[in-house]
Amino acid sequence: MTWTFTDDVDVFLDAAGASLAARPAENTLVLTVTATLRRNGPHAYGDRVPLLGWWRDADGEVAGTLVQTPPYPPLLGTVAPEAVAPLTASLPLTRINADRATAEALAADLAGPPGRPGAAALPAGDARRPGTVAGGTRPP
């Protein structure tokens, strides 16, 4: 079970759209941002392309979503607790927008065991991210 990333809103919505629509209240911001991207194109929020991601559980169901429209931090939709560690392993997160429970789980995962520096130690504004494959998915 890994996160899958793309810069193509249609690829993202084909994979995660039904999951997002099943819980519209919890995913209002992700649905709004992706609707804007679909309507106005990938540069609706700035010059850089968006990062869109989803995580599938053991049953193959989408159980986590992420949308980032640089320069803004990633916005997490509904995310299953078991998707948190794979997410922090996939992306160097320094800032996020998420519900309280997900944000606390991410902070705990980033802090790691006592004495281990986590990804939270990255300098503010660190823009490292995996390379983008335009119109396709990007490996985790």
Side-chain angles (χ1 to χ4, degrees), residues 96-117:
I96 60 155
N97 286 317
D99 65 79
R100 180 177 295 272
T102 302
E104 288 174 350
L106 280 162
D109 189 74
L110 289 171
R116 185 203 95 179

Side-chain angles (χ1 to χ4, degrees), residues 52-118:
L52 306 121
W54 64 96
W55 185 82
R56 292 188 185 273
D57 64 18
D59 296 328
E61 298 296 319
V62 172
T65 57
L66 172 145
V67 173
Q68 182 181 16
T69 55
Y72 305 105
L75 167 64
L76 302 179
T78 305
V79 175
E82 59 270 21
V84 169
L87 179 59
T88 61
S90 297
L91 293 176
L93 299 171
T94 58
R95 301 178 300 154
I96 60 155
N97 286 317
D99 65 79
R100 180 177 295 272
T102 302
E104 288 174 350
L106 280 162
D109 189 74
L110 289 171
R116 185 203 95 179

Side-chain angles (χ1 to χ4, degrees), residues 3-137:
W3 282 84
T4 303
F5 299 99
T6 185
D7 62 358
D8 186 316
V9 69
D10 292 319
V11 170
F12 173 76
L13 290 173
D14 285 347
S19 173
L20 293 167
R23 298 180 72 182
E26 294 89 342
N27 293 303
T28 298
L29 288 175
V30 174
L31 289 166
T32 301
V33 169
T34 54
T36 300
L37 290 170
R38 184 175 254 177
R39 184 177 55 253
N40 298 330
H43 300 288
Y45 292 96
D47 293 337
R48 294 175 43 207
V49 296
L51 173 68
L52 306 121
W54 64 96
W55 185 82
R56 292 188 185 273
D57 64 18
D59 296 328
E61 298 296 319
V62 172
T65 57
L66 172 145
V67 173
Q68 182 181 16
T69 55
Y72 305 105
L75 167 64
L76 302 179
T78 305
V79 175
E82 59 270 21
V84 169
L87 179 59
T88 61
S90 297
L91 293 176
L93 299 171
T94 58
R95 301 178 300 154
I96 60 155
N97 286 317
D99 65 79
R100 180 177 295 272
T102 302
E104 288 174 350
L106 280 162
D109 189 74
L110 289 171
R116 185 203 95 179
L122 290 173
D126 190 324
R128 291 177 290 159
R129 17 185 274 200
T132 300
V133 179
T137 58

